[in-house]
Amino acid sequence: LCCLTYEAPHYADFKRRAPKPGETVSVPGGCGRVGGCNAVRETVQVQMEGGSLVEVALGEVVRQPQAALATGREGGPEG
């Protein structure tokens, strides 16, 4: 077998911890949606609300609860 035999646990762990593409997250520069992930570098690419694309370490990404997202949208529980 190849090196993937040894790397598979790392990839599985990263996949478990990383947000999914399209998920809304907070990063040090603000909020945005996940565009992709890099398991080797343990980074997440985030499309920021302002349009820029940033790559941040997985440890700096904070997932946003789905209920919190709904309250920020027009027509949510507050209005």
Side-chain angles (χ1 to χ4, degrees):
L1 294 181
C2 69
C3 60
L4 287 177
T5 301
Y6 303 102
E7 295 172 358
H10 170 75
Y11 290 119
D13 179 57
F14 179 82
K15 184 176 179 181
R16 180 185 54 78
R17 295 180 293 129
K20 296 186 178 6
E23 190 172 334
T24 301
V25 296
S26 291
V27 296
C31 292
R33 293 209 180 264
V34 175
C37 297
N38 185 320
V40 174
R41 294 172 54 177
E42 291 215 1
T43 59
V44 177
Q45 295 86 34
V46 180
Q47 183 78 43
M48 302 300 289
E49 290 177 337
S52 63
L53 183 65
V54 298
E55 185 171 23
V56 296
L58 178 59
E60 296 180 331
V61 175
V62 178
R63 289 178 160 157
Q64 297 298 309
Q66 291 298 321
L69 297 177
T71 60
R73 292 188 188 144
E74 188 175 321
E78 297 297 319

